[in-house]
Amino acid sequence: MIARTTFRNISYLLYCLLFLVTACEQIATLRAQQYFNQAKKYYDEGNYSKAMETCDYALTFDPTFLDALTLKGMIYYQTGSYKNSLEWIRKAVTQKPDDKQLRMILIDALFKAERYESAIKQIQFLLANNPNDSELNFLYYYAHIKSRSDALIGKIQNELRTIINKGSEDHRFYCLVAELEILKGDLSQAKTILLEHYTPHPVWRGTMLLLADAFRANGDYANVVDIYNTIAEKADDKKA
């Protein structure tokens, strides 16, 4: 009899304990969501210090809260702390590895942190399921060139020239070939390519500025002026 009563008492205590644990978890989840909502509001307003503080509160209640992990990474990103942003965005990607948008955010942060080899690996992961994605293909070659690694550039320069020789209609790829010409020192060829293959994509302007710097280093100020005038003309055409 005593043993049976004791068993019932223990069972009741365990039930109460389970109830309390479940209730605490639900409260923690609710509080985490509330803090996240406030942090997102601060983020949207551009108040990144308050957004970070409030996001940390959310993660205190739920360290695996996917939206809060992503938001913390984006706060670091928006404030220029790209290397710090990587830690948190990677945690989010680990939880949701098949989320293309999340992985694209990670790739962008890797570019900003100049970790091109890591960016290439992330791009390859996405390309495995999206081999014809034009944006991913562009980023793949772009990352190799921006790495300034002879080994990495050597892997793709023949492939890139093959794309051009086949008459690609994506002018961004011509900008990449122009950058290869700049790296080789053939500035005239690079200029010809860029003038023949304008694109409103930022890569064209960025490559033109890189070319202007190369001409300036050679003391060729006439070409520097010509390039800046061309950039200004294209900007005016875009506004019109």
Side-chain angles (χ1 to χ4, degrees):
M1 183 71 179
I2 295 175
R4 189 179 302 169
T5 302
T6 302
F7 177 77
R8 281 201 300 266
N9 289 339
I10 293 174
S11 298
Y12 177 74
L13 287 172
L14 288 174
Y15 173 80
C16 290
L17 181 61
L18 180 62
F19 176 81
L20 287 172
V21 169
T22 303
C24 288
E25 288 177 348
Q26 291 174 343
I27 292 170
T29 299
L30 178 62
R31 293 293 287 159
Q33 185 66 56
Q34 289 173 335
Y35 277 120
F36 168 77
N37 292 342
Q38 187 61 54
K40 183 65 167 59
K41 182 174 180 293
Y42 285 133
Y43 176 84
D44 291 339
E45 294 170 351
N47 189 345
Y48 298 124
S49 60
K50 289 295 291 183
M52 180 67 80
E53 178 183 348
T54 315
C55 190
D56 281 339
Y57 289 146
L59 288 169
T60 298
F61 282 100
D62 184 357
T64 63
F65 189 1
L66 180 63
D67 289 342
L69 291 171
T70 305
L71 182 61
K72 184 163 183 175
M74 291 308 298
I75 295 168
Y76 275 125
Y77 179 93
Q78 292 295 345
T79 54
S81 299
Y82 303 118
K83 291 181 180 178
N84 286 327
S85 76
L86 293 174
E87 174 187 352
W88 299 95
I89 297 172
R90 277 196 173 110
K91 287 181 179 181
V93 169
T94 299
Q95 284 196 44
K96 209 171 180 182
D98 294 326
D99 190 313
K100 181 181 176 182
Q101 184 179 1
L102 260 181
R103 204 171 285 270
M104 288 298 290
I105 293 171
L106 175 58
I107 289 168
D108 193 40
L110 287 166
F111 269 102
K112 291 292 193 304
E114 298 183 352
R115 295 186 179 181
Y116 299 110
E117 194 163 357
S118 294
I120 290 167
K121 291 178 182 177
Q122 296 297 328
I123 295 166
Q124 287 174 320
F125 180 91
L126 292 177
L127 278 171
N129 295 318
N130 306 275
N132 297 319
D133 188 304
S134 59
E135 182 64 21
L136 288 174
N137 277 288
F138 166 72
L139 290 173
Y140 175 76
Y141 292 106
Y142 183 67
H144 280 80
I145 292 172
K146 285 300 178 185
S147 72
R148 294 298 188 263
S149 162
D150 290 339
L152 289 176
I153 292 173
K155 289 180 179 180
I156 56 89
Q157 57 183 345
N158 289 336
E159 293 177 20
L160 189 55
R161 292 186 187 280
T162 299
I163 292 171
I164 299 305
N165 292 336
K166 288 181 178 179
S168 172
E169 296 181 0
D170 190 336
H171 292 286
R172 295 178 302 174
F173 288 102
Y174 292 90
C175 295
L176 298 183
V177 172
E179 187 160 344
L180 286 177
E181 297 297 339
I182 294 170
L183 295 177
K184 283 169 48 183
D186 194 343
L187 306 187
S188 296
Q189 179 65 11
K191 183 179 179 182
T192 298
I193 294 171
L194 289 167
L195 293 180
E196 290 179 354
H197 298 282
Y198 168 74
T199 170
H201 190 278
V203 71
W204 181 86
R205 185 178 185 277
T207 312
M208 285 286 277
L209 292 174
L210 187 67
L211 180 59
D213 288 342
F215 276 125
R216 185 183 295 109
N218 288 348
D220 188 345
Y221 297 105
N223 265 309
V224 173
V225 172
D226 187 38
I227 288 171
Y228 275 102
N229 285 338
T230 303
I231 292 173
E233 287 171 6
K234 294 297 184 183
D236 289 341
D237 290 344
K238 194 175 179 180
K239 289 177 183 177

